[in-house]
Amino acid sequence: MATHNIITGNPSERELSLSGKLYFPEIFKGMLYSIKHVFKPTVTIQYPEERIELGPEFRGRPVLVQENNQERCVACGLCARACPPLAISMQAAETEDEKERYPSVFEIDMLRCIYCGFCEDVCPEEAIVMSPEYDLNFLERKEAIMGKDRLLVEKSVLQPRLDFLARKRNKQFGKVYKFEAVNNTHSVRDRK
Ligand code: SF4
Ligand code: SF4
């Protein structure tokens, strides 16, 4: 027979058993559960005084890779094209270097960025990568628009992420295309 709550008359509300009506057994069970966790290792940290070490798989704010005192970026515009919220803007210029083009202006509006990583995925030069930086705060909206002065980060700092991407991509390509790094000559930096 279907039971219903005798107070509210709602048939979808179940009747409480005697121990449920007494409350104490359930309160005791809850306290026991909390006490058990007191003796387990702490997982919370006192942020921002304490910070956690993030692995290379973490996607923090996107940054530009700086190598030999210049950006790797060749201003192809693919990242800006792929960016869903249109957070990236750039201006291409010519250079005498082998790469021929570079971004004279490169900006990311971090109020628009959704940390999707599409820019990193499409970049043929591995010139834009997701950094481990996650705590951004701004007093004014214009502070959130980051130019090259704040986007360029030394390659050595980003090396764990670059290594992670190389491992991940080689594995993906290897399944379908038998990817060999030596055949990856589309990029200026890979030509020897
Ligand atoms: S992470 Fe996504 S949203 Fe942010 S700049 Fe890159 S493509 Fe745009
Ligand atoms: S996709 Fe890469 S090389 Fe092309 S503009 Fe973006 S960062 Fe530069």
Side-chain angles (χ1 to χ4, degrees):
M1 194 179 78
T3 57
H4 65 277
N5 191 298
I6 51 169
I7 298 168
T8 62
N10 185 346
S12 61
E13 255 184 70
R14 72 184 165 88
E15 282 284 337
L16 288 176
S17 64
L18 180 63
S19 73
K21 282 181 189 159
L22 287 174
Y23 292 110
F24 289 109
E26 299 305 315
I27 290 171
F28 181 72
K29 265 199 260 176
M31 286 174 72
L32 201 64
Y33 186 79
S34 304
I35 289 166
K36 268 199 299 192
H37 280 269
V38 167
F39 301 103
K40 288 192 176 170
T42 317
V43 291
T44 49
I45 59 159
Q46 298 300 317
Y47 178 84
E49 287 79 18
E50 287 176 43
R51 302 174 71 86
I52 47 170
E53 284 293 320
L54 295 163
E57 61 281 352
F58 181 78
R59 292 203 307 244
R61 82 169 172 112
V63 294
L64 290 173
V65 181
Q66 177 165 288
E67 195 173 23
N68 303 326
N69 287 326
Q70 60 172 315
E71 62 282 276
R72 264 188 180 182
C73 176
V74 293
C76 67
L78 277 175
C79 54
R81 188 90 178 172
C83 178
L86 305 177
I88 301 176
S89 16
M90 77 182 69
Q91 180 68 53
E94 293 188 355
T95 166
E96 296 292 312
D97 295 342
E98 191 189 14
K99 67 178 190 174
E100 297 174 5
R101 280 158 58 99
Y102 77 102
S104 55
V105 177
F106 197 110
E107 287 178 349
I108 302 182
D109 185 344
M110 290 311 299
L111 289 181
R112 287 189 166 211
C113 179
I114 53 171
Y115 300 80
C116 64
F118 285 3
C119 50
E120 180 188 64
D121 279 346
V122 297
C123 180
E125 301 295 328
E126 283 180 355
I128 187 166
V129 295
M130 308 305 278
S131 73
E133 203 178 320
Y134 58 87
D135 49 350
L136 305 177
N137 47 69
F138 316 105
L139 293 178
E140 291 181 49
R141 295 179 76 86
K142 63 181 178 196
E143 284 178 22
I145 300 172
M146 298 198 178
K148 283 201 319 185
D149 55 326
R150 290 156 79 196
L151 288 176
L152 282 169
V153 176
E154 262 307 315
K155 184 190 164 196
S156 55
V157 178
L158 302 167
Q159 197 59 53
R161 180 69 184 178
L162 290 165
D163 291 343
F164 168 78
L165 291 175
R167 282 200 306 278
K168 188 183 96 175
R169 285 179 179 163
N170 285 356
K171 209 168 147 201
Q172 283 176 342
F173 287 135
K175 280 183 189 156
V176 187
Y177 304 113
K178 294 195 187 319
F179 176 81
E180 302 268 346
V182 72
N183 294 330
N184 187 24
T185 52
H186 69 276
S187 165
V188 171
R189 80 191 144 78
D190 289 329
R191 289 180 212 148
K192 294 278 184 280

